[in-house]
Amino acid sequence: MKTVIFYTGNAAFKFNQKEVTEHLNAPESEYESDEVSKLLNLISTDSDKTILNPDDHNYFGYVVLDLINSGEGTATCKICGKSYDASQLNEFVIGHGKSPFEIIKERKGGIRLIGKRKNPSLFGGNGFTCPEGHKLISMETWRT
């Protein structure tokens, strides 16, 4: 089986090359076409495994999040040294939520005495931890 491996600081994610290719080519895919072309060229090699790291292929991190959400692949936590199926990972949100359509509102106390009210920039995203709670991956997926 040909494998695509993506390394982060705390994990190694492994996916079946065929599943990754199908996911990238799916008609409902909202990925950038240039990035998809680059990734498809990388993973279509004749070797048994393709290794990607965030320094060179950061965009693949977004694909990893989607693949895990779809129940694809496995993750090996470098901290606890265990491998987990995608269904065993725990999702968490960063910033103001996973989507700009589901913004988590924060309540802040205090009194504003002077100045105009600014429209703050918001951001959000999501990530996954292993069942032991170790952070494996997180990505900012939107910003206003």
Side-chain angles (χ1 to χ4, degrees), residues 4-101:
V4 177
I5 302 170
F6 182 73
Y7 289 104
T8 64
N10 290 339
F13 295 93
K14 294 182 184 179
F15 303 97
N16 178 303
Q17 179 197 33
K18 182 179 176 187
E19 292 168 350
V20 173
T21 302
E22 289 173 359
H23 186 78
L24 289 170
N25 285 322
E28 68 274 4
S29 169
E30 295 182 8
Y31 301 119
E32 294 177 20
S33 60
D34 290 344
E35 292 292 337
V36 168
S37 295
K38 289 177 193 174
L39 291 171
L40 288 172
N41 284 337
L42 283 171
I43 65 174
S44 65
T45 62
D46 291 334
S47 66
D48 286 341
K49 64 181 170 182
T50 302
I51 299 174
L52 305 172
N53 63 60
D55 293 336
D56 299 327
H57 307 288
N58 187 50
Y59 193 84
F60 193 72
Y62 300 107
V63 178
V64 168
L65 292 178
D66 289 342
L67 287 165
I68 293 170
N69 274 324
S70 299
E72 304 293 341
T74 62
T76 301
C77 177
K78 294 179 184 178
I79 298 170
C80 58
K82 297 178 185 173
S83 290
Y84 303 98
D85 288 328
S87 62
Q88 295 176 286
L89 302 179
N90 300 311
E91 186 175 20
F92 65 91
V93 296
I94 59 172
H96 290 276
K98 186 175 175 180
S99 162
F101 303 108

Side-chain angles (χ1 to χ4, degrees), residues 34 140-141:
D34 290 344
E140 181 183 304
T141 57

